Amino acid sequence: MDPRPVAVIGAGPSGLASLKNLSDLNIPCVAYESHSGVGGIWDIRNPRSSVYQNTHTITSREVTGYADLPMDRGLPAYPRHDQVHGYLRQYAERFNLLPLIRFGSDVTQVERLTDGWRVTTADGHSAEHRALIIANGHNWHPHMPAFSGKFDGEILHSRDYTSAAALAGKRVLVVGAGNSGCDIAVEAAGVTDHVAISMRRGYYFFPKFIFGKPADQVSESSQNLRLPAPMARAAYRTMLKLSIGTPDQFGLPKPDHEPLESPPIVNSLLPYYCAHGRVKVRKAPVRFDGKFVEFSDGTSEEFDTIIMATGFRIHIPFVGEEHLDWNKGRPDFYLLAFSPRYDDLFIAGMTDGTGGHFPTVELQSRVIASYLAARERDPEAARRFDERKRRRDVDITGGIKFLDSPRNLTQFELLTYLRVLRDHLSLLGGRDTTYAQRPSLLEQAAALFSGGRK
């Protein structure tokens, strides 16, 4: 057996899940973390964190937590960022992961060896590893679009936004209508009378609760029914119309796509604020002139502060591009995790599905760990896996035609992706227990319509 440990880069949610699954299979491993503690972006003190003071999860407590350690029922239905950070620390402590992490170790270079990888950090440390799992996250490196002209006010990216207090009394433009952009626009409307949000297209707005239950739990139950795509779309449209209404009723652009073809915007307050005139809707900006912003419809308006809620780029600066098979802005890895070029290179957590991230990467990293174990302990199982990886004949979209947009680079349909991961885990002789604690469809339906707790 190769004595060199597997290197995991990052100790956020994906890195912790990777360490846990490697340890479960007795695979030596070490994580390199640039910050002084675990949590990744959920630690607001981390310089790379993209959370702000009022950040809450957009997935509910039951859907957000790892299945190996469900979130405490004493937490709110939608936990705040510091509560999520505390939960991640608890996870690391419960499974004794802290001794496996080199804190304050910013990886500056990764070199390909004949067999394995050499990792070098900013403090001069260098070590060889049998395999490399990249788990540095993809929601921390800002995407800042360029516009003609010059803006004389303040411009900041949503990653650098902390709270609405600094916006009091200012004329604020939020560019981008993802979940962060909508949250920031709503917060700004609480401290100033002049707020606008720039939207290139219309989106569907999902409530956080339906029938008194967290909406994602209702959605997960409905997806388990495996309705034909036209019926599922009709059901979603009906649900949204009854719970919130249609976007155009509130002065918002009409979506040019079906529900779930773009990441859902979990925010029922933005339509409310738009209907009251507290947040104005503007087209895409095209040019700056002093403090004036010109929009694509020819209108212009004066602002003091622009917040670019324009998302993030997948950024892996320590690995040469020649190793990552980049395609349309992301590494083109099998199942979003397995390098098509190397059998010892993986990415954990490059995922944005229609459900909770933590349990998804928990299962994904279990497949990665099982594959690494099979390479040494069951070569025939590893060969079967490699053969399937070469075919690349797996569809993880569940029939959803995701919009051709940077926001959708890492999208998949949750239940389809989980089923595919389980199939690959079975191919390696592994068994999925990550969702063993989830209630059955019958139990979910009973809880939904009885008013009892799920």
Side-chain angles (χ1 to χ4, degrees):
M1 180 176 289
D2 191 333
R4 296 175 300 173
V6 174
V8 177
I9 301 182
S14 302
L16 293 177
S18 298
L19 289 176
K20 164 69 166 52
N21 281 297
L22 291 167
S23 299
D24 283 349
L25 294 178
N26 298 312
I27 299 174
C29 54
V30 60
Y32 294 90
E33 169 55 50
S34 62
H35 189 48
S36 58
V38 302
I41 65 171
W42 289 102
D43 183 354
I44 199 170
R45 298 167 300 177
N46 189 329
R48 293 174 178 170
S49 175
S50 56
V51 303
Y52 41 91
Q53 289 182 7
N54 200 35
T55 296
H56 287 251
T57 62
I58 61 169
T59 52
S60 66
R61 179 186 61 224
E62 281 79 3
V63 171
T64 299
Y66 300 109
D68 280 349
L69 182 66
M71 281 188 161
D72 192 316
R73 285 184 174 270
L75 291 174
Y78 290 90
R80 197 176 54 240
H81 66 87
D82 56 320
Q83 295 168 324
V84 177
H85 181 220
Y87 166 76
L88 291 170
R89 287 201 310 269
Q90 179 190 13
Y91 181 86
E93 292 166 358
R94 172 72 62 86
F95 298 112
N96 200 30
L97 305 179
L98 295 177
L100 304 176
I101 304 170
R102 286 179 53 91
F103 292 108
S105 296
D106 190 15
V107 174
T108 55
Q109 185 178 20
V110 170
E111 301 169 82
R112 178 64 187 172
L113 305 174
T114 303
D115 178 24
W117 303 85
R118 181 186 301 280
V119 174
T120 302
T121 58
D123 60 4
H125 173 81
S126 181
E128 291 188 14
H129 299 277
R130 69 167 88 172
L132 179 71
I133 300 177
I134 300 168
N136 70 321
H138 59 284
N139 288 319
W140 62 272
H141 187 70
H143 166 56
M144 288 288 282
F147 298 97
S148 62
K150 180 179 180 295
F151 184 67
D152 290 339
E154 177 189 31
I155 297 182
L156 67 154
H157 191 272
S158 61
R159 195 191 79 168
D160 302 313
Y161 169 84
T162 54
S163 75
L167 304 177
K170 294 183 178 180
R171 296 165 295 186
V172 178
L173 172 66
V174 179
V175 179
N179 282 288
S180 294
C182 293
D183 283 350
I184 292 170
V186 168
E187 286 196 8
V191 298
T192 182
D193 294 330
H194 194 122
V195 181
I197 186 167
S198 166
M199 302 176 64
R200 289 183 303 166
R201 58 162 35 102
Y203 295 102
Y204 291 97
F205 292 84
F206 288 68
K208 284 201 167 183
F209 294 91
I210 298 175
F211 308 132
K213 298 290 180 183
D216 53 10
Q217 295 176 35
V218 178
S219 173
E220 193 173 284
S221 298
S222 66
Q223 289 177 53
N224 271 307
L225 296 174
R226 309 305 297 169
L227 295 174
M231 291 181 64
R233 292 191 193 105
Y236 271 109
R237 282 195 297 268
T238 301
M239 177 190 71
L240 293 176
K241 190 172 183 179
L242 290 174
S243 59
I244 291 184
T246 59
D248 51 289
Q249 289 178 281
F250 303 93
L252 290 155
K254 185 177 181 180
D256 59 357
H257 56 280
E258 295 289 342
L260 299 184
E261 289 182 353
S262 184
I265 308 303
V266 187
N267 190 315
S268 55
L269 287 176
L270 185 75
Y272 175 89
Y273 274 71
C274 289
H276 287 76
R278 299 286 299 281
V279 177
K280 298 177 182 177
V281 180
R282 293 287 180 259
K283 297 289 187 179
V286 294
R287 184 174 179 275
F288 299 149
D289 182 7
K291 286 194 172 184
F292 281 89
V293 177
E294 182 181 329
F295 299 97
S296 60
D297 60 358
T299 61
S300 63
E301 192 172 347
E302 193 172 8
F303 296 96
D304 301 305
T305 300
I306 298 176
I307 300 174
M308 296 289 188
T310 46
F312 302 88
R313 293 186 184 276
I314 297 173
H315 189 53
I316 309 173
F318 43 81
V319 179
E321 290 190 3
E322 69 275 15
H323 299 307
L324 293 175
D325 294 271
W326 287 91
N327 182 27
K328 295 182 178 179
R330 71 167 171 86
D332 189 16
F333 277 31
Y334 181 63
L335 302 181
L336 302 174
F338 293 81
S339 167
R341 185 183 303 263
Y342 304 107
D343 294 333
D344 54 6
L345 176 62
F346 315 89
I347 298 178
M350 189 177 65
T351 56
D352 289 292
T354 53
H357 173 76
F358 294 7
T360 303
V361 74
E362 184 178 26
L363 179 55
Q364 184 194 58
S365 61
R366 183 161 298 184
V367 179
I368 293 172
S370 297
Y371 173 74
L372 284 170
R375 288 188 65 200
E376 294 191 344
R377 306 168 194 173
D378 190 351
E380 178 58 25
R383 185 196 65 77
R384 291 195 301 268
F385 187 99
D386 289 337
E387 187 175 292
R388 190 164 185 186
K389 182 176 76 169
R390 282 192 294 271
R391 292 203 305 266
R392 294 182 73 96
D393 57 358
V394 172
D395 177 22
I396 60 174
T397 67
I400 299 175
K401 295 181 180 179
F402 295 110
L403 290 177
D404 185 11
S405 164
R407 294 184 67 209
N408 290 333
L409 287 174
T410 54
Q411 284 289 308
F412 51 84
E413 195 278 317
L414 178 65
L415 296 183
T416 301
Y417 188 55
L418 295 178
R419 174 180 55 77
V420 169
L421 287 176
R422 291 191 188 102
D423 288 346
H424 283 73
L425 188 61
S426 177
L427 197 65
L428 295 166
R431 187 170 66 89
D432 172 32
T433 60
T434 56
Y435 277 71
Q437 299 176 61
R438 291 294 178 90
S440 68
L441 177 60
L442 180 62
E443 291 170 326
Q444 291 183 59
L448 178 61
F449 293 108
S450 70
R453 293 188 69 179
K454 180 180 172 195

